[in-house]
Amino acid sequence: MKKIVVIYWSGTGNTEQMATAVADGAKNNDGVSVELIAVSNASKSNVLEADAVALGCPSMGDEVLEETEMEPFVKTLQAAELTGKPLALFGSYGWGEGQWMTDWVERMKGLGAVLVADGLIVQEVPNEEGLSLCKELGMKLALSAVKE
Ligand SMILES: Cc1cc2nc3c(=O)[nH]c(=O)nc-3n(C[C@H](O)[C@H](O)[C@H](O)COP(=O)(O)O)c2cc1C
């Protein structure tokens, strides 16, 4: 059984809805177990023990990750621990052009993670199309975990 973990931060629930849909998409695959965890309840070992990881965070501050919980968590992840690990990134935004996600993708690639898709961004509350993109992302992540 391959382990997938979806770890997210969400202030008003938009990224949480995305996270739930990513987890649902991943669960649609045989041979995987999926855990959905708010970052406040997550630890680095959740990432280390997983075969594939999805991280979600909205655009906060001025096009940055949320700074009290998500940014410190992402900072704990070291290059050696992410090398070769399939990773999906997603999050909701308000008015920007997604710079936080572009930066996040580059940062995680720099740590050696294998991004299974482009960072998925959805404006504010995800609509049906947004949720189905999240499910697809979860499916892709599960497939890459099974292939590992
Ligand atoms: C303090 C704060 C800062 C924000 N900064 C940005 C930003 O720089 N760019 C942007 O596109 N949206 C920004 N937003 C909007 C949020 O990304 C957007 O409302 C998102 O849907 C929130 O997701 P959540 O419900 O998962 O918390 C900001 C929101 C807050 C509360």
Side-chain angles (χ1 to χ4, degrees):
M1 189 67 94
K2 297 287 184 174
K3 264 194 185 180
I4 295 184
V5 67
V6 182
I7 297 171
Y8 68 93
W9 184 92
S10 184
T12 57
N14 301 335
T15 304
E16 183 173 26
Q17 283 190 42
M18 294 179 75
T20 303
V22 170
D24 285 349
K27 278 179 201 157
N28 268 333
N29 296 267
D30 289 336
V32 301
S33 68
V34 183
E35 222 182 335
L36 176 64
I37 315 176
V39 71
S40 53
N41 298 322
S43 69
K44 186 169 156 168
S45 60
N46 295 120
V47 171
L48 299 185
E49 289 162 11
D51 297 292
V53 178
L55 298 176
C57 184
S59 178
M60 295 294 285
D62 184 9
E63 296 295 326
V64 292
L65 297 176
E66 187 278 325
E67 289 171 287
T68 62
E69 293 181 337
M70 197 69 192
E71 174 58 36
F73 183 78
V74 171
K75 264 208 185 94
T76 66
L77 306 175
Q78 311 289 321
E81 298 155 358
L82 285 177
T83 300
K85 193 157 309 230
L87 179 70
L89 299 179
F90 61 92
S92 177
Y93 70 100
W95 50 83
E97 290 179 5
Q99 190 60 44
W100 103 103
M101 183 57 76
T102 306
D103 294 344
W104 197 12
V105 165
E106 285 314 307
R107 177 178 176 184
M108 301 318 277
K109 279 185 183 165
L111 292 176
V114 180
L115 274 286
V116 300
D118 291 340
L120 176 60
I121 67 173
V122 161
Q123 194 169 24
E124 299 294 354
V125 182
N127 60 16
E128 204 132 299
E129 189 197 346
L131 290 175
S132 82
L133 290 171
C134 292
K135 283 186 188 159
E136 268 174 39
L137 184 63
M139 260 184 248
K140 261 193 196 163
L141 189 66
L143 287 176
S144 56
V146 170
K147 269 194 226 144
E148 280 284 286

